[in-house]
Amino acid sequence: PFEVELTDTGTTVTVPPDRTILEVVEEHGVRVLSSCRAGVCGTCETRVVEGEIEHRDAILNEEEKHLGDSMMICVSRAAAGCRKLTLDL
Ligand code: FES
């Protein structure tokens, strides 16, 4: 599991291995636009304030992935060894 801090409310939520960030933040009442939920449309792109990302989408190119300032929260996760992501949500 890893934690996600939401900058709008300062809330921190825990994302277990079998759930996506998108699912967990929605469950906490955060409204995020989404469509494919499979990392292929780009709708759920979210700005990353802090933390290392394991990108699993098919939208960002290598350069964008390396920059690490946004992620598709329907599929991508915290990198191994990163225990917390701070997202602009
Ligand atoms: Fe399509 Fe996340 S909802 S990339």
Side-chain angles (χ1 to χ4, degrees), residues 1-4 15 48 50-54 71 77-86:
F2 57 92
E3 297 194 320
V4 173
V15 181
V48 179
E50 208 176 335
E52 300 294 314
I53 309 148
E54 181 185 315
M71 70 189 291
R77 312 185 62 83
C82 171
R83 295 174 61 180
K84 184 166 131 183
L85 292 175
T86 304

Side-chain angles (χ1 to χ4, degrees), residues 27-74:
E27 211 171 78
H28 283 79
V30 179
R31 291 193 54 176
V32 184
L33 289 178
S34 66
S35 176
C36 71
R37 295 182 168 248
V40 296
C41 75
T43 308
C44 70
E45 183 167 4
T46 298
R47 199 169 74 82
V48 179
V49 179
E50 208 176 335
E52 300 294 314
I53 309 148
E54 181 185 315
H55 293 285
R56 295 185 177 181
D57 63 280
I59 298 290
L60 299 175
N61 63 32
E62 284 311 310
E63 200 172 317
E64 291 166 330
K65 286 180 178 172
H66 187 71
L67 264 177
D69 60 1
S70 82
M71 70 189 291
M72 304 307 148
I73 61 170
C74 64

